[in-house]
């Protein structure tokens, strides 16, 4: 049972860390893209670094989805009572729909900067 608890905590940590890394990667791509326009002499190098962060953001998104799926199997008890749990689950569905839209928009935005605009 102790190993399961450790795995649940580790899964949550990886999920949260990957989420922060994903968002940080998007910010880094935005800054690098801006610098490319201002510093033409190092534009190629900045593009390489920009692509590095883009592919890392995709890896982070995969980790987020995988660990998020793992989380869905660890929070299944009716800890707060049946009615509260139903409300919590509905709110989680709404939250995840919004987050999928944010993931899609953020990834498309950085894809455009990384590969389509130079």
């Amino acid at each position: 049972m102790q190993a399961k608890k450790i795995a649940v905590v580790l899964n949550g940590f990886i999920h949260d860390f990957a989420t922060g890394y994903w968002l940080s990667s998007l910010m880094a791509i935005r800054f690098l893209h801006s610098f490319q326009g201002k510093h033409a002499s190092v534009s190629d190098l900045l593009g390489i670094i920009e692509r590095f962060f883009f592919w890392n953001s995709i890896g982070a998104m995969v980790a987020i989805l995988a660990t998020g799926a793992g989380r869905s199997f660890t929070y299944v008890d009716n800890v707060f009572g049946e009615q509260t749990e139903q409300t919590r689950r509905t709110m989680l569905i709404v939250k995840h729909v919004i987050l999928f839209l944010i993931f899609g928009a953020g990834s498309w935005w950085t894809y455009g900067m990384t590969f389509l605009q130079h």
Side-chain angles (χ1 to χ4, degrees):
M1 193 60 159
Q2 184 67 14
K4 182 179 178 182
K5 288 179 182 179
I6 291 170
V8 167
V9 171
L10 184 60
N11 184 72
F13 174 78
I14 293 169
H15 184 78
D16 294 342
F17 182 83
T19 302
Y21 187 86
W22 178 80
L23 186 56
S24 298
S25 293
L26 268 59
M27 293 168 51
I29 291 167
R30 176 64 190 112
F31 287 125
L32 288 165
H33 192 72
S34 174
F35 294 154
Q36 280 181 304
K38 296 175 185 172
H39 306 286
S41 62
V42 292
S43 181
D44 290 341
L45 177 60
L46 293 173
I48 291 168
I49 299 168
E50 191 177 50
R51 287 186 294 279
F52 169 83
F53 277 108
F54 175 79
W55 291 114
N56 274 266
S57 74
I58 298 300
M61 195 169 16
V62 169
I64 293 164
L65 293 172
T67 55
R71 275 183 157 183
S72 68
F73 296 109
T74 59
Y75 299 106
V76 293
D77 297 330
N78 284 329
V79 176
F80 302 109
E82 191 172 326
Q83 184 177 3
T84 303
E85 282 298 316
Q86 185 59 43
T87 301
R88 185 183 72 83
R89 287 185 181 118
T90 301
M91 292 173 71
L92 280 171
I93 290 168
V94 170
K95 177 187 91 166
H96 283 93
V97 167
I98 292 168
L99 289 176
F100 276 119
L101 292 173
I102 291 170
F103 269 152
S107 295
W108 180 252
W109 178 60
T110 55
Y111 175 82
M113 281 189 286
T114 303
F115 296 105
L116 303 178
Q117 302 172 7
H118 286 285

